[in-house]
Amino acid sequence: MDKRGTRRRTALAGLAAAALVAGAFATTATAGTGEGDGPPHLPRGTGFYVDPDSGAARQAAIWRQEGRTADADLMDAMASHGQAIWFTTAGADQVREGVRRVVRAAKAQDRVPVLVAYFVPYRDCSQWSAGGARSEQEYKEWIDAFAQGIGDEKAVVVVEPDGLALLTSEPWCTIGPDEELVPQRYREINHAVDALKRGKHTRVYLDAGHSAWQALNDYDAGYGEPRQQSGIVNRLLRGGVTRADGFALNTSNYRTTEDLVRYGTRVSKCIHLRTQGATSCPSDAELDAMPVHKPGMTHFVLDTSRNGRGHYTPGPGETDWCNPPGRGLGERPTANTGIPLVDAFLWVKRPGESDGECQGGPPAGRWWPEQALELAKLASPPLR
């Protein structure tokens, strides 16, 4: 059985940037989420770096020249909001310099870059978004260089989409042997947390899949996976989430914000209980009844880049994760979410870039003007 739920993501590349708003990190500020929040989170008013040369910005120029004024206006509106910059390719020196360029450009805008580290070995179980480091040592050197590129400047980093939600021990993942690679994955994610958190102003969020993927608790997987590796809460704890700033949900997916907030809040509450000695999560109803404002409660961020219309119900031969039709942009990137544990809505997946060669799309990560225009036209709330 495929435990992925409706997940998928895209290997993206790029060294140019993303996001509009204003403000920046204050080293001692919190997100205003109640008393006793623990370590600093994203302050209200944080502004995210906007890439002046994004696919949407370039498409707007093309369509304006062709006289497609209304479509160009939509692309300009899309381009005015921050999108994450993904780093996906080999070379410690290259990633150090690439990250440094983005961080400097963001500083010049007095904004904060959102960066994605996506280079873990055997990423995506070597499927559509295959790639990553060839060894644990290569990955550690790469992520160390990534962190050096940030230094003590301001940055938000989403660590390894699928890195914890998609272990090599999944039943359909033929990479192995699991008894070697699963512990290796945890070592790599932990190393990434520690390397990145050396930066004074780096905010680190471990990718945790989405609300229709992994269960909170361990379960009897039935295919030889140790129980302590199955539930997402255990995976986050073993990945070092308590030393990070939190976790990230919905990267490159389409789940609704309401659904994600409910799920993420349950994850956070369960992490709190586990760190207090509980051996498993209580029922959803019991978690929902728990108060949110507890000291040190784990925060999270949401990818709202394409969830304005929610998830897609696929027909025959379709998927709900790979270029589903009729989707729209979701909430704009902001740290002013008004939700206690949600530090920010982010556009982690760059809208308008394909999920892969499915349902008429180009290869993963390629700019797709038709999809970009559909996302803009169906945005909820509407683009302005």
Side-chain angles (χ1 to χ4, degrees):
M1 178 181 177
D2 187 344
K3 296 291 183 185
R4 291 177 297 173
T6 53
R7 55 73 62 190
R8 257 323 256 194
R9 59 199 73 283
T10 299
L12 301 175
L15 299 177
L20 182 62
V21 202
F25 282 127
T27 57
T28 59
T30 70
T33 58
E35 53 189 349
D37 276 338
H41 298 283
L42 284 173
R44 293 176 180 174
T46 295
F48 301 111
Y49 172 61
V50 176
D51 181 1
D53 190 38
S54 66
R58 285 183 268 113
Q59 194 65 55
I62 293 170
W63 281 344
R64 202 169 298 284
Q65 189 174 28
E66 294 174 351
R68 295 175 59 173
T69 304
D71 293 343
D73 288 345
L74 284 172
M75 289 298 98
D76 275 334
M78 179 189 288
S80 72
H81 297 286
Q83 304 168 26
I85 310 304
W86 291 58
F87 293 86
T88 67
T89 56
D93 292 340
Q94 290 88 335
V95 77
R96 183 187 299 107
E97 184 54 34
V99 169
R100 185 172 291 145
R101 283 199 297 267
V102 174
V103 168
R104 287 174 176 172
K107 186 176 183 179
Q109 290 185 2
D110 194 24
R111 293 173 179 151
V112 178
V114 179
L115 312 173
V116 179
Y118 193 46
F119 194 59
V120 75
Y122 303 107
R123 71 177 183 213
D124 198 32
C125 277
S126 297
Q127 298 181 106
W128 291 62
S129 297
R134 293 164 294 181
S135 69
E136 181 178 354
Q137 184 59 34
E138 182 185 5
Y139 181 73
K140 288 180 176 179
E141 292 173 0
W142 186 90
I143 202 70
D144 286 347
F146 191 113
Q148 290 161 9
I150 299 172
D152 286 333
E153 300 296 341
K154 301 162 188 172
V156 172
V157 183
V158 175
V159 176
E160 298 300 337
D162 291 350
L164 294 174
L166 179 57
L167 295 174
T168 56
S169 54
E170 308 298 340
W172 48 269
C173 184
T174 58
I175 298 169
D178 294 333
E179 61 268 21
E180 296 177 7
L181 295 182
V182 170
Q184 174 183 320
R185 175 64 58 81
Y186 285 122
R187 290 195 301 269
E188 290 157 351
I189 300 297
N190 273 276
H191 184 88
V193 171
D194 292 338
L196 292 164
K197 285 305 297 178
R198 293 189 190 107
K200 293 181 180 178
H201 305 295
T202 305
R203 302 294 180 256
V204 179
Y205 297 87
L206 301 187
D207 190 273
H210 60 73
S211 53
W213 194 352
Q214 298 292 353
L216 270 63
N217 271 319
D218 298 335
Y219 49 83
D220 185 2
Y223 48 82
E225 181 184 43
R227 290 178 63 86
Q228 69 269 23
Q229 294 174 6
S230 53
I232 195 61
V233 171
N234 256 331
R235 296 187 188 198
L236 284 166
L237 288 169
R238 293 185 69 189
V241 72
T242 57
R243 304 193 312 281
D245 293 277
F247 56 93
L249 294 176
N250 205 47
T251 303
S252 298
N253 214 274
Y254 302 85
R255 311 312 296 188
T256 65
T257 298
E258 180 182 16
D259 189 38
L260 294 165
V261 170
R262 184 184 305 112
Y263 175 77
T265 302
R266 289 170 179 166
V267 171
S268 180
K269 290 176 178 179
C270 187
I271 289 173
H272 176 76
L273 292 174
R274 290 293 307 279
T275 59
Q276 300 302 306
T279 58
S280 64
C281 303
S283 68
D284 288 348
E286 290 174 294
L287 287 171
D288 291 343
M290 284 177 56
V292 166
H293 297 307
K294 286 188 175 292
M297 192 78 83
T298 304
H299 290 216
F300 54 99
V301 296
L302 304 179
D303 184 356
T304 60
S305 60
R306 304 184 299 179
N307 74 342
R309 303 278 168 164
H311 69 278
Y312 178 66
T313 302
E318 295 181 319
T319 72
D320 57 358
W321 54 260
C322 191
N323 299 325
R327 303 305 91 194
L329 302 171
E331 296 284 349
R332 306 301 103 87
T334 180
N336 302 347
T337 69
I339 303 170
L341 295 177
V342 181
D343 284 351
F345 300 140
L346 303 173
W347 283 5
V348 182
K349 164 71 177 184
R350 294 171 71 87
E353 294 185 356
S354 176
D355 288 323
E357 295 179 76
C358 52
Q359 301 188 151
R366 296 277 183 88
W367 175 253
W368 189 6
E370 293 78 12
Q371 186 194 64
L373 184 59
E374 180 177 63
L375 289 169
K377 286 181 174 180
L378 298 178
S380 180
L383 279 175
R384 291 182 290 182

